[in-house]
Amino acid sequence: MSFSPVTQASKGVGTPTTRLIGLIAIASLAWVLFGGLVATPPEVTQGESVRIMYVHVPSAWVAYLAFITTAVASASYLLSRRRSLGFDRVAGASAEVGVVFMGITLVSGSLWGRLTWGTFWQWDPRLTTTSFLFVTYLGYLAVRGLGGTHHQRAKRSAILALLAVLEIPLVHFSVVLWRSLHQRASVLSTDGDVKMDGLMLFTLLVGVVAFTATFAWLVMHRQRVLAMRDIVESRKLDVAIAQRTGEGN
């Protein structure tokens, strides 16, 4: 029995690994929902608004992780001898998911800012650099959609990804480099002093696990979709070449 390229590319969807990651994501998200809204206490100064933290912090972490993954996959494509398009598809899928989570970060941060600062937006160093990072990766996705062969797409996207990832340290340390309304890191603080209720910290860490598992699950499925799309586009090109050759003959 023979299989078409599309069937082979889609083979593996719903594998035990992806199902396991999906179950981890669902179970941990369920705890974050319960712990964030019910089990954890309100914060002393911020009150109930601190519950946005359980979405805002993990989504920011996953956005960073996604963009770093895009850079690593892009570097792997450029450095590999075979220039495997699999690396490029992982880079593209990771960037797409990262943009979604960065959008969640900006929206949740705006809501939190409205409750804390009294306004949805301030031209604060952290907010400004984060929005610039978001726009940069929207541009990255736009560049991926330009014409050309798959390898031309992969090469130009990889170069842009390696430049764009350099913005992440600027975003992360913006609260240290400039005067910022945004609070500094509560968990990954440089002095190692974590001033947070135990259950709040546990729920936040579970949220990080939940969002990371969701990211991995989405990237695994999305890169398979991109692989099938590349196959379909290649088939159309082969058909067009064959038709032109037939016309010439």
Side-chain angles (χ1 to χ4, degrees):
M1 182 181 294
S2 61
F3 294 93
S4 68
V6 173
T7 303
Q8 291 175 339
S10 61
K11 193 176 181 181
V13 174
T15 61
T17 300
T18 55
R19 284 196 289 266
L20 176 60
I21 293 175
L23 289 174
I24 292 173
I26 292 172
S28 49
L29 284 172
W31 169 258
V32 173
L33 182 63
F34 172 75
L37 295 178
V38 179
T40 57
E43 208 264 338
V44 175
T45 57
Q46 299 186 50
E48 299 292 347
S49 66
V50 76
R51 301 188 188 281
I52 299 177
M53 172 184 68
Y54 302 116
V55 172
H56 181 69
V57 174
S59 62
W61 151 255
V62 168
Y64 288 169
L65 175 63
F67 297 151
I68 292 172
T69 300
T70 295
V72 171
S74 297
S76 299
Y77 170 81
L78 292 175
L79 296 175
S80 63
R81 293 183 178 180
R82 296 180 60 185
R83 294 290 176 91
S84 172
L85 287 173
F87 290 125
D88 172 65
R89 288 189 284 265
V90 170
S94 184
E96 290 179 2
V97 177
V99 165
V100 172
F101 278 97
M102 184 56 77
I104 294 172
T105 302
L106 289 170
V107 171
S108 60
S110 296
L111 295 174
W112 202 356
R114 178 65 178 84
L115 296 173
T116 306
W117 304 332
T119 181
F120 288 106
W121 184 263
Q122 285 281 350
W123 289 105
D124 176 81
R126 171 59 66 83
L127 275 65
T128 303
T129 53
T130 300
S131 60
F132 186 70
L133 183 66
F134 177 69
V135 172
T136 298
Y137 278 90
L138 286 177
Y140 168 85
L141 295 180
V143 167
R144 290 186 63 85
L146 298 176
T149 66
H150 295 158
H151 284 285
Q152 288 173 335
R153 174 199 68 197
K155 185 176 180 180
R156 64 173 178 256
S157 300
I159 294 172
L160 180 56
L162 293 176
L163 294 174
V165 76
L166 299 177
E167 295 177 29
I168 292 180
L170 181 65
V171 176
H172 184 71
F173 293 108
S174 59
V175 295
V176 179
L177 297 174
W178 299 287
R179 295 178 59 184
S180 175
L181 292 172
H182 196 285
Q183 71 181 58
R184 299 191 179 190
S186 300
V187 178
L188 298 177
S189 57
T190 55
D191 58 8
D193 184 16
V194 181
K195 297 178 181 178
M196 187 179 294
D197 175 80
L199 187 57
M200 294 175 68
L201 178 60
F202 175 74
T203 302
L204 180 60
L205 294 178
V206 172
V208 170
V209 172
F211 278 49
T212 302
T214 302
F215 158 74
W217 187 87
L218 290 172
V219 169
M220 292 174 73
H221 282 283
R222 181 58 181 163
Q223 65 89 19
R224 288 167 183 155
V225 173
L226 294 178
M228 288 187 283
R229 189 174 69 181
D230 283 352
I231 290 171
V232 171
E233 291 176 354
S234 296
R235 278 183 167 184
K236 289 180 179 178
L237 180 61
D238 291 341
V239 170
I241 293 174
Q243 289 175 344
R244 289 295 184 183
T245 303
E247 291 175 0
N249 294 332

